[in-house]
Amino acid sequence: MAMMIPEENKKTQIPHSLILENRKGLTATGVSNVDSFNEQTIVAYTSMGELTIRGENLSINKLNMETGELTLEGEISSMSYSDTESQGGSGFFSKLFR
């Protein structure tokens, strides 16, 4: 009898990390998409769920969809996750680069 592996276990987890430097710079890995952004809020999908970054004068310096790296700067006041799983392919940048 063959054992069935649940679909969620078949996905390869992309390593996810956050590096916050002096609340002025943030590097995130494991990013699959950026849903929206402005100077106060950036919403990104990661391998660990939806990440919302809030602050002032936020700007994205680098977004590499191949490596999953996002680099931004500004006055970062908070970062929070929601339970929403990564939805790669449905955000602003994926629509722009299709």
Side-chain angles (χ1 to χ4, degrees):
M1 205 160 65
M3 183 173 187
M4 298 298 292
I5 299 173
E7 188 65 34
E8 61 198 36
N9 292 340
K10 289 182 182 178
K11 287 188 208 174
T12 303
Q13 283 289 334
I14 299 169
H16 174 60
S17 67
L18 295 175
I19 301 170
L20 180 62
E21 298 175 24
N22 299 320
R23 292 182 63 181
K24 300 285 183 197
L26 176 71
T27 300
T29 62
V31 175
S32 60
N33 211 342
V34 172
D35 186 52
S36 63
F37 69 94
N38 59 39
E39 288 188 345
Q40 290 82 33
T41 307
I42 296 174
V43 178
Y45 292 109
T46 74
S47 57
M48 299 302 292
E50 183 181 283
L51 173 63
T52 302
I53 303 150
R54 297 186 193 282
E56 298 292 325
N57 303 315
L58 299 177
S59 63
I60 295 175
N61 291 342
K62 176 181 169 185
L63 176 62
N64 186 327
M65 301 304 282
E66 290 179 16
T67 63
E69 184 175 336
L70 168 68
T71 304
L72 60 96
E73 64 182 24
E75 298 172 31
I76 299 164
S77 59
S78 72
M79 296 177 287
S80 63
Y81 290 92
S82 71
D83 290 336
T84 305
E85 296 261 339
S86 173
Q87 298 179 8
S90 64
F92 173 77
F93 285 105
S94 66
K95 291 175 186 170
L96 182 65
F97 293 114
R98 280 190 186 168

